[in-house]
Amino acid sequence: MSRVGLVLVSHSAKLAEGVAELAAEMAPEVTVVPAGGLPDGGLGTDYDAVVAAVQRADSGSGVVLLYDLGSAQMTAELATESLADPNAAVVADAPLVEGAIAAAVAAQGGGDKTAVVYAAASAGAAPDLAEAAETPAEETAELTLRNDVGLHARPAALLARTLADVDAEVRVRLGDSEVDARSVLGLMSLGARQGDTIHIDARGAQAAEAIRRAQELVDTNFGE
């Protein structure tokens, strides 16, 4: 399956490589290419390196670029405009770290460029609790986490990916905090640890399937 690739444009090679490593951990089948720093190792962005990174990241489904600072945005936009098919790549206006993680998970789930850009741009956005509260859940479950580290990065990403293609709105609650189950950052923000019981509400045509998948992950300790 061809997936949308990611390019991380940063003034620092180490920053780009670190974020790429983190995003790849969340989405092992997504091509994430860092494009940071200047050819001599200094700080800055390099147009040729970004173009080459886009070419490496594109497996046929397109590429989404994220950047750290303003001039990196300019370099990313120049690179996309110079492509033989400028529509093959798009620059996302999103926080670099949070956006890269959210975008990687969306791409891993099979999202197209529009979905991946939306996931990146939505990273860190406050959940709309009022909207969620208006519609009663059709399926619910209370699941106690038994794995060693609870909903840390990898289990959170795994849960978000597992629910990505389910036709249902799924929300996870711990205490007074409630988040979208497809938001890996939101899941991590719950701080759910071993022994905590999370509440899952699902609405939609595949609400029961969403609960089943979540239950299976918890029962198998997220493969840990």
Side-chain angles (χ1 to χ4, degrees):
M1 177 181 179
S2 176
R3 289 180 168 83
V4 173
L6 302 181
V7 170
L8 308 181
V9 184
S10 169
H11 287 68
S12 165
K14 292 181 179 178
L15 176 58
E17 290 166 1
V19 177
E21 180 183 17
L22 184 61
E25 175 69 18
M26 308 287 182
E29 296 177 88
V30 176
T31 301
V32 184
V33 183
L38 298 173
D40 63 1
L43 298 177
T45 56
D46 181 68
Y47 166 81
D48 291 334
V50 175
V51 171
V54 172
Q55 293 170 343
R56 287 175 54 198
D58 192 358
S59 61
S61 294
V63 177
V64 173
L65 296 88
L66 295 100
Y67 59 91
D68 59 357
L69 297 172
S71 56
Q73 178 185 13
M74 184 173 63
T75 303
E77 290 175 346
L78 286 173
T80 59
E81 292 168 2
S82 69
L83 298 174
D85 178 11
N87 293 322
V90 60
V91 180
D93 184 9
L96 180 63
V97 178
E98 294 88 346
I101 293 172
V105 172
Q108 179 71 38
D112 60 14
K113 285 202 307 296
T114 299
V116 173
V117 169
Y118 178 79
S122 300
D128 189 348
L129 298 180
E131 180 179 348
E134 290 178 355
T135 306
E138 298 168 358
E139 300 284 346
T140 64
E142 292 189 350
L143 307 176
T144 299
L145 303 173
R146 299 191 304 271
N147 60 316
D148 290 340
V149 290
L151 276 181
H152 75 133
R154 197 193 67 80
L158 185 57
L159 178 57
R161 296 203 308 263
T162 299
L163 298 174
D165 63 344
V166 177
D167 182 13
E169 177 190 351
V170 188
R171 304 191 69 84
V172 178
R173 176 162 49 89
L174 178 66
D176 296 329
S177 299
E178 181 177 311
V179 300
D180 185 342
R182 292 187 177 87
S183 169
V184 61
L185 298 173
L187 292 171
M188 292 170 63
S189 74
L190 292 175
R193 302 178 180 180
Q194 184 184 43
D196 286 342
T197 297
I198 58 175
H199 302 257
I200 301 183
D201 294 340
R203 306 168 181 80
Q206 291 187 295
E209 173 64 11
I211 296 294
R212 187 195 68 76
R213 293 188 184 188
Q215 177 81 61
E216 183 175 358
L217 283 178
V218 171
D219 288 346
T220 57
N221 292 331
F222 298 88
E224 293 181 352

